[in-house]
Amino acid sequence: MTRALTLGQDALDRLMPMHLCLAENGAIRFAGPTMQKLLPAGARVAEDIFVEAKGGGTGRVMSRIRAAGPGGRLSLRLRRHRPIVLRGHVVEPGFGELLLNFGFGVSLSDAVAAFGLTENDFAPTELALELMFLQEANRAIQGELARFNRHLMLARQDAEREAHTDPLTGVLNRRGLLAAMRGALDPRGGQGFALIHLDLDNFKPVNDRLGHPTGDRLLRDVAQVLGRMTRSRDHVARIGGDEFVLILGGSWTCQALTGIGQRIIRGIEQVSPGDCGVSASLGIVLSAGYGPDEIDRMLNDADVALYRSKNAGKGRVSVAPLPVDNALRPLPGPR
């Protein structure tokens, strides 16, 4: 047995906040609270609100609504927000008018953004609520993933920096130097550089007479001297014991490099503790003539130039502008 059910406007608004009631001629009778947010100001008929979902012309909206028939499915596009398509159905409530009820479907995100909709604009049983919750959860997950990736990137950068840094002096270690040389010798860089190999003179007596803490302090002071002598684009590395290597970017003359080397020697002599007479011997090579796979050869040539300074009396600068010929290498002498 069936009975007629009469719903008041308040109940209809709660159950179907996206409903729209039209007269047979398309005039708007009333609309649910959410649908009212979608209506353009001054809208009087269905043509003021909708166009056909597939781009039909003006004047065919009511034909499309009538063609859907009672209980039939209907798709219409908002006239002033064309990306948003409403999907719903049509019923005849029995008083000579048409009652339409809509949902957003895949246009939900666009509609929420365009009209500032919240969960209060949908019926509690509306699937749109579930989609909104899923979207909110997805945004939260994406945010957490972004934060996690940032933390991971920073942790990786910290680990890489630590792996390339000498813990005593804070400058690059041998691994960091090799990475810097690979970048400097990359032919795509297009710039030359000078490589300075530096070894302290008379360092051993510092440890023997004054102790290793004093020797460590001197190494840190030397690193600071080298840092003051270089620019932000240059590199300073400690490759073991009292040996340091500098990469000075750009084009250099032998005269300019000799001048820099002499300033480095004076700076180191000024931080020498007591009467130990610590100085430095330098060997310098230019990158011209070296390929990206000749890092070892370049370091070896700088080492040969360094021995020339040692053998010539220490506290000196030797510049080898071109790759050193193996046949001309001097025999290493004492450091």
Side-chain angles (χ1 to χ4, degrees), residues 213-244:
T214 301
D216 289 346
R217 185 163 57 249
L218 175 59
L219 292 173
R220 289 192 290 267
D221 290 342
V222 169
Q224 291 181 0
V225 169
L226 299 179
R228 290 195 296 267
M229 298 287 181
T230 54
R231 305 153 299 180
S232 59
R233 64 174 178 169
D234 300 328
H235 302 280
V236 179
R238 176 179 174 234
I239 59 173
D242 57 345
E243 293 184 67
F244 293 82

Side-chain angles (χ1 to χ4, degrees), residues 96-322:
E97 295 177 340
L98 299 173
L99 185 64
L100 289 65
N101 189 42
F102 290 104
F104 290 112
V106 295
S107 298
L108 176 63
S109 296
D110 292 333
V112 169
F115 298 102
L117 304 179
T118 69
E119 60 181 291
N120 296 325
D121 292 307
F122 300 92
T125 56
E126 172 61 57
L127 180 60
L129 281 180
E130 302 300 326
L131 293 175
M132 289 178 69
F133 293 149
L134 288 174
Q135 289 178 339
E136 186 63 30
N138 183 62
R139 281 194 293 270
I141 292 172
Q142 292 298 327
E144 288 300 320
L145 285 175
R147 282 190 288 274
F148 175 77
N149 286 333
R150 283 195 297 271
H151 290 316
L152 186 62
M153 179 187 66
L154 292 174
R156 184 164 52 244
Q157 290 175 346
D158 289 342
E160 183 175 351
R161 184 163 46 249
E162 183 176 347
H164 287 75
T165 301
D166 174 51
L168 176 63
T169 61
V171 299
L172 296 177
N173 57 17
R174 180 176 288 273
R175 181 181 297 176
L177 171 67
L178 295 178
M181 289 188 68
R182 281 193 292 270
L185 285 171
D186 189 333
R188 293 171 296 184
Q191 288 190 341
F193 65 95
L195 184 79
I196 301 177
H197 189 179
L198 178 153
D199 185 86
L200 297 183
D201 299 325
N202 306 319
F203 177 72
K204 187 175 183 299
V206 175
N207 286 333
D208 293 343
R209 292 168 49 191
L210 303 178
H212 287 278
T214 301
D216 289 346
R217 185 163 57 249
L218 175 59
L219 292 173
R220 289 192 290 267
D221 290 342
V222 169
Q224 291 181 0
V225 169
L226 299 179
R228 290 195 296 267
M229 298 287 181
T230 54
R231 305 153 299 180
S232 59
R233 64 174 178 169
D234 300 328
H235 302 280
V236 179
R238 176 179 174 234
I239 59 173
D242 57 345
E243 293 184 67
F244 293 82
V245 173
L246 288 74
I247 298 176
L248 305 183
S251 299
W252 297 92
T253 64
C254 294
Q255 182 179 3
L257 290 170
T258 300
I260 291 175
Q262 290 171 346
R263 290 197 297 275
I264 289 174
I265 292 172
R266 288 195 296 270
I268 291 174
E269 289 174 347
Q270 289 172 1
V271 298
S272 174
D275 60 351
C276 292
V278 175
S279 184
S281 296
L282 282 65
I284 305 177
V285 295
L286 298 173
S287 63
Y290 293 94
D293 57 347
E294 294 184 299
I295 291 176
D296 290 340
R297 182 186 178 198
M298 190 174 186
L299 288 171
N300 195 49
D301 288 349
D303 192 51
V304 169
L306 169 62
Y307 274 113
R308 289 177 183 169
S309 296
K310 291 282 190 182
N311 294 335
K314 302 182 180 180
R316 299 174 185 274
V317 180
S318 297
V319 181
L322 298 175

